[in-house]
Amino acid sequence: MQGAVLVAIAAAIGNMLQGWDNATIAGAVLYIKREFKLEGQPTIEGLIVAMSLIGATIITTFSGAVSDWIGRRPMLIISSVLYFISGLIMFWSPNVYMLLLARLIDGFGIGLAVTLVPVYISETAPSEIRGLLNTLPQFTGSGGMFLSYCMVFAMSLNIRPDWRLMLGVLSVPSLLYFVLTVFFLPESPRWLVSKGRMKEAKQVLQRLRGREDVSGEMALLVEGLRVSTDTTIEEYIIGPANELPDEQDSTAEKDKIMLYGPQQGLSWVAQPVTGPSLLGSAFGLISRQGSIVNQSIPLMDPLVTLFGSVHGKLPEMGSMRSILFPNFGSMFSVVENHPKAEQWDEEIGHQDGVDYVSDGAGGDSDDNLHTPLLSRHGTGMDGNDMIHNSSLMQENVGEAVSSMGIGGGWQLAWKWTNREAVDGTKEGGFKRIYLRQEGVVGSQQASLVSIPGGNIPEEGEYVQAAALVSQPALFSKEVMSQDPAGPAMVHPSKIAAEGPMWRVLFEAGVRHALFVGIGIQILQQFAGINGVLYYTPQILEQAGVEVLLANLGIGSDSASILISALTTLLMLPCIAVAMRLMDVSGRRSLLLATIPVLIVSLVGLVLTNLVDLGSVAHAIFSTICVVVYFCCFVMGFGPIPNILCSEIFPTRVRGVCIAICSLTFWFCDIIVTYSLPVMLNTIGLAGVFGIYAIVCVIALVFVFLKIPETKGMPLEVIIEFFNVGSKQVAKT
């Protein structure tokens, strides 16, 4: 995973530049208003600070759609160029109007970085460490603020501090960012797949993952091109084929699925479960009863329960699990034994040396289907090996599956089913399956479980697996009677040629995800971070920090800058802890653990402003509340909204959706920034912090009822869960 980590660190420099700029302008404005005599013009002074917010808001309105069109990497390159140009103009600024222009350009760079860096990291990171890597922007942003405050503090000790130099230094790290985006950062493999550039996507994945075999993830990326509207949940019992009873009724024989292993002659049978859930999970209950029947909390989003059921503890490693789910790798793959790698060229629809058999080309015989769908995803198997080890169909088996690991304990499979039409003719089609083990339900040491259609023998071990089943991206009924590039498949370049599917935004699952993303962004901005930042220097001054610094010979301007630097320094170790916990405890758990602490801290600040505690006690208690608030905010409500928004949208419209959420963020940021002085004059500090505390209570309820846990899940699986959850909401 070293490649993905280094790429994420390089991309997160864009957020470091944002933090650097925010801290620099906060210190430089003290000297700017003196040179341009802006003490009597608060509007111009406010514009100098706020112009970057305006620029970020403007560019965010179309950055998502453009990134879906030209790619993530070009937008990051443009961001670095805008940072560099704005730094040069700020260094030159002969008057306040050129400074305002530079701040606007700087805002353009900030808007692109804040919007697209989380998307880029989510699309390149392995699902197991995606949360950790996506917390990097928060860490680098705070780190940039701290370094900038230190620089501005050092410059402020001069007799005549030069604000132009303070602002112009931004060009130096932005030049480094430009070099990295041009020469080091690859394009997002998911975006490349969405454009049909399969060979480039495979090469990027091989570099990011540090291995040659990326067939499973390539297949996953292709399946993410389309949003399914017919996703259902099924549950299977998987056991050794040679240990099933010989006598099976016709229904069970028809429904069972043959799975093929990496060793010759090794195979298992997966049989649907139609009775009560063997483990009692919500995942299983939905598959058999169409709704979440264990929903005990009013107003709880079914999606939250559904996601929660996935993160239950897996059973201990057993013999069957070690065979079927080795290191979360491919369940049935034979890739490791075949070093030859196929190339899937985006410019052609047929691969040399491989004969593909059309579904309609050979009558009704099951034997006509020899070439597995995996061959079109670069499995690295030649024709003979595919027929010998991975034939999709066998005699007397109703369905067949070929599968590969996609991370997080998930398997991606395609199921071929033959159905009898009304006129008596046979018709077939593929189904895509995201399969995940739920538990071991029977073994020599455990009680036996009956499977409909036959009893499990006492020998062996059996695995319960739940599956999301839907229409695959590459299947098309229109090509059934033609000569397709594989069994009833269309080439990804044909799907990519369809362009952005704006109608996808109106699908139930995407609408549901937008509701979650927009809601969490609004609540984050109104949770009080801006007010606490505004109040921090005053609190620390009351605590005697400024007096102490004055005794050391540090002036008031330098003291306020140093106080801000110390405040920022407190954030860094807390963000580091959050990075470690993001993929262990999870996003939802961190929010539920930290938001109550935010509420207590804000209530404490309200009490300190209503109750006369004495100057010393007031300063100490206020300082403790502020420090605790900062530490908990940067562990949860700071990074997680952007992480969630980068995970819950489909590949084809991810840029557009994340731009909608970012636009919400910037609008709310502007509202909070400009409403704070008015609120302070009308209701005072106690009233402001009281409102923030109420918002945090609302946020806690919203997170508990509406925010699902997405840790460790592939992005494409997450949106499938949103589709299923939306169907459950519609039923209720």
Side-chain angles (χ1 to χ4, degrees):
M1 298 182 182
Q2 180 181 2
V5 172
L6 293 177
V7 164
I9 293 173
I13 293 178
N15 293 77
M16 187 201 77
L17 297 178
Q18 179 214 5
W20 182 288
D21 176 76
N22 289 345
T24 304
I25 193 62
V29 74
L30 299 173
Y31 308 102
I32 293 173
K33 63 182 181 181
R34 293 175 187 170
E35 178 173 331
F36 294 125
K37 298 179 174 59
L38 300 177
E39 287 84 354
Q41 302 181 57
T43 302
I44 299 297
E45 179 185 347
L47 272 178
I48 292 174
V49 177
M51 191 59 74
S52 62
L53 289 178
I54 297 172
T57 304
I58 292 173
I59 203 164
T60 300
T61 56
F62 58 86
S63 63
V66 174
S67 72
D68 285 338
W69 174 39
I70 68 173
R72 321 304 192 207
R73 178 172 170 268
M75 299 296 279
L76 296 181
I77 294 174
I78 294 172
S79 174
S80 67
V81 172
L82 292 171
Y83 275 129
F84 181 74
I85 293 174
S86 67
L88 292 180
I89 298 177
M90 285 188 288
F91 181 69
W92 169 64
S93 297
N95 54 56
V96 71
Y97 301 106
M98 291 304 298
L99 179 59
L100 289 174
L101 175 62
R103 297 291 300 158
L104 182 67
I105 297 173
D106 181 55
F108 292 158
I110 290 174
L112 291 179
V114 171
T115 302
L116 297 176
V117 167
V119 176
Y120 179 82
I121 293 177
S122 283
E123 292 186 341
T124 56
S127 58
E128 292 84 357
I129 59 170
R130 188 176 61 241
L132 183 151
L133 296 184
N134 239 334
T135 314
L136 277 173
Q138 181 80 18
F139 185 84
T140 58
S142 297
M145 289 179 67
F146 175 70
L147 294 175
S148 179
Y149 275 131
C150 292
M151 178 200 70
V152 173
F153 170 72
M155 291 183 178
S156 70
L157 298 177
N158 296 330
I159 298 176
R160 298 184 60 184
D162 188 349
W163 63 265
R164 289 181 176 83
L165 182 59
M166 294 179 186
L167 296 176
V169 172
L170 177 68
S171 296
V172 177
S174 64
L175 186 60
L176 171 64
Y177 189 43
F178 173 77
V179 172
L180 289 174
T181 54
V182 172
F183 297 106
F184 181 72
L185 292 187
E187 181 54 86
S188 161
R190 282 179 167 83
W191 182 85
L192 289 171
V193 167
S194 73
K195 299 303 178 184
R197 295 159 61 176
M198 311 305 296
K199 184 183 295 185
E200 295 176 60
K202 180 180 179 182
Q203 292 170 348
V204 170
L205 274 179
Q206 289 172 334
R207 171 187 166 187
L208 293 174
R209 304 296 180 257
R211 63 176 186 269
E212 289 296 318
D213 176 23
V214 292
S215 56
E217 196 163 356
M218 280 292 295
L220 174 69
L221 268 53
V222 171
E223 288 299 340
L225 293 179
R226 282 181 177 167
V227 178
S228 299
T229 57
D230 60 344
T231 306
T232 59
I233 295 180
E234 298 177 3
E235 192 171 9
Y236 296 92
I237 295 296
I238 302 175
N242 57 2
E243 294 183 6
L244 285 179
D246 294 332
E247 296 182 1
Q248 298 275 347
D249 60 38
S250 59
T251 303
E253 184 71 22
K254 180 180 179 181
D255 291 339
K256 71 181 182 182
I257 303 172
M258 185 68 73
L259 310 177
Y260 300 92
Q263 302 176 17
Q264 183 175 356
L266 187 63
S267 60
W268 301 273
V269 167
Q271 193 160 328
V273 178
T274 57
S277 175
L278 299 174
L279 294 182
S281 70
F283 208 25
L285 287 168
I286 296 177
S287 65
R288 281 170 297 286
Q289 300 189 22
S291 63
I292 301 179
V293 298
N294 66 336
Q295 191 76 42
S296 58
I297 302 175
L299 302 180
M300 173 74 80
D301 194 329
L303 187 70
V304 175
T305 304
L306 182 58
F307 271 87
S309 68
V310 176
H311 297 290
K313 182 180 179 182
L314 286 174
E316 296 298 324
M317 190 77 72
S319 59
M320 175 59 72
R321 184 174 187 269
S322 64
I323 295 173
L324 290 180
F325 297 85
N327 299 322
F328 298 120
S330 174
M331 201 189 319
F332 323 111
S333 175
V334 295
V335 174
E336 297 176 0
N337 300 325
H338 300 275
K340 176 184 175 183
E342 295 181 353
Q343 300 295 328
W344 192 357
D345 195 333
E346 69 273 16
E347 302 297 333
I348 60 175
H350 187 82
Q351 194 170 4
D352 295 336
V354 178
D355 294 327
Y356 295 98
V357 183
S358 174
D359 293 292
D364 293 333
S365 173
D366 290 343
D367 294 333
N368 289 324
L369 187 59
H370 291 301
T371 306
L373 184 58
L374 294 184
S375 66
R376 295 304 292 164
H377 296 280
T379 58
M381 297 180 287
D382 57 40
N384 293 332
D385 289 328
M386 288 185 290
I387 296 174
H388 181 70
N389 290 323
S390 288
S391 298
L392 282 180
M393 300 296 294
Q394 297 286 328
E395 284 190 37
N396 301 323
V397 177
E399 302 179 359
V401 169
S402 189
S403 170
M404 55 180 65
I406 56 176
W410 289 87
Q411 302 284 329
L412 171 60
W414 294 268
K415 178 173 67 174
W416 173 260
T417 58
N418 271 329
R419 299 176 299 274
E420 188 171 316
V422 179
D423 57 1
T425 60
K426 281 188 177 181
E427 58 180 19
F430 279 106
K431 286 290 186 180
R432 175 182 68 212
I433 303 177
Y434 292 121
L435 191 70
R436 187 180 191 272
Q437 179 189 7
E438 283 198 314
V440 176
V441 297
S443 66
Q444 293 179 357
Q445 295 79 24
S447 60
L448 303 180
V449 178
S450 296
I451 297 180
N455 294 325
I456 296 179
E458 295 187 5
E459 300 82 9
E461 199 172 79
Y462 295 84
V463 174
Q464 183 189 29
L468 293 170
V469 182
S470 59
Q471 193 81 1
L474 302 184
F475 175 78
S476 175
K477 292 183 178 179
E478 287 75 13
V479 300
M480 288 291 289
S481 59
Q482 304 174 11
D483 184 18
M489 287 172 55
V490 294
H491 198 270
S493 59
K494 180 179 178 181
I495 300 176
E498 297 177 1
M501 296 187 297
W502 293 96
R503 65 179 181 274
V504 173
L505 294 175
F506 301 99
E507 297 289 348
V510 180
R511 291 201 315 269
H512 197 158
L514 279 171
F515 169 75
V516 170
I518 292 174
I520 196 69
Q521 291 285 3
I522 292 174
L523 292 170
Q524 181 211 42
Q525 282 302 300
F526 287 96
I529 185 63
N530 288 326
V532 177
L533 282 171
Y534 178 89
Y535 186 47
T536 298
Q538 180 181 339
I539 293 174
L540 296 180
E541 179 182 350
Q542 292 174 350
V545 175
E546 187 167 319
V547 175
L548 175 62
L549 295 176
N551 292 334
L552 297 175
I554 299 175
S556 60
D557 290 341
S558 299
S560 92
I561 295 170
L562 183 58
I563 289 172
S564 298
L566 295 174
T567 303
T568 306
L569 182 61
L570 291 173
M571 300 180 183
L572 296 179
C574 299
I575 300 173
V577 173
M579 292 174 65
R580 177 67 181 89
L581 296 177
M582 200 64 69
D583 293 305
V584 178
S585 299
R587 294 80 156 129
R588 173 182 166 87
S589 298
L590 277 176
L591 286 174
L592 292 176
T594 56
I595 293 179
V597 184
L598 299 183
I599 297 172
V600 173
S601 301
L602 290 170
V603 171
L605 289 172
V606 171
L607 294 176
T608 57
N609 286 275
L610 292 178
V611 181
D612 185 8
L613 301 175
S615 59
V616 177
H618 178 276
I620 294 175
F621 192 66
S622 298
T623 302
I624 293 174
C625 289
V626 167
V627 170
V628 171
Y629 180 92
F630 273 134
C631 292
C632 289
F633 187 89
V634 297
M635 289 181 65
F637 231 163
I640 291 178
N642 283 340
I643 294 176
L644 282 174
C645 290
S646 66
E647 294 177 329
I648 59 179
F649 300 114
T651 300
R652 298 291 296 277
V653 292
R654 184 171 290 122
V656 174
C657 292
I658 197 71
I660 294 173
C661 295
S662 296
L663 198 59
T664 304
F665 168 87
W666 291 116
F667 272 126
C668 292
D669 194 4
I670 293 173
I671 292 172
V672 171
T673 301
Y674 280 94
S675 65
L676 181 59
V678 177
M679 293 170 65
L680 287 173
N681 291 331
T682 54
I683 60 177
L685 274 173
V688 170
F689 289 132
I691 292 175
Y692 290 157
I694 293 173
V695 173
C696 284
V697 172
I698 297 173
L700 181 62
V701 175
F702 182 81
V703 169
F704 181 73
L705 296 178
K706 302 297 181 183
I707 301 297
E709 181 55 74
T710 58
K711 67 173 182 179
M713 298 179 66
L715 299 181
E716 289 73 14
V717 175
I718 292 174
I719 189 59
E720 292 295 329
F721 270 93
F722 270 91
N723 293 333
V724 175
S726 300
K727 291 169 65 176
Q728 300 305 312
V729 172
K731 289 180 180 180
T732 56

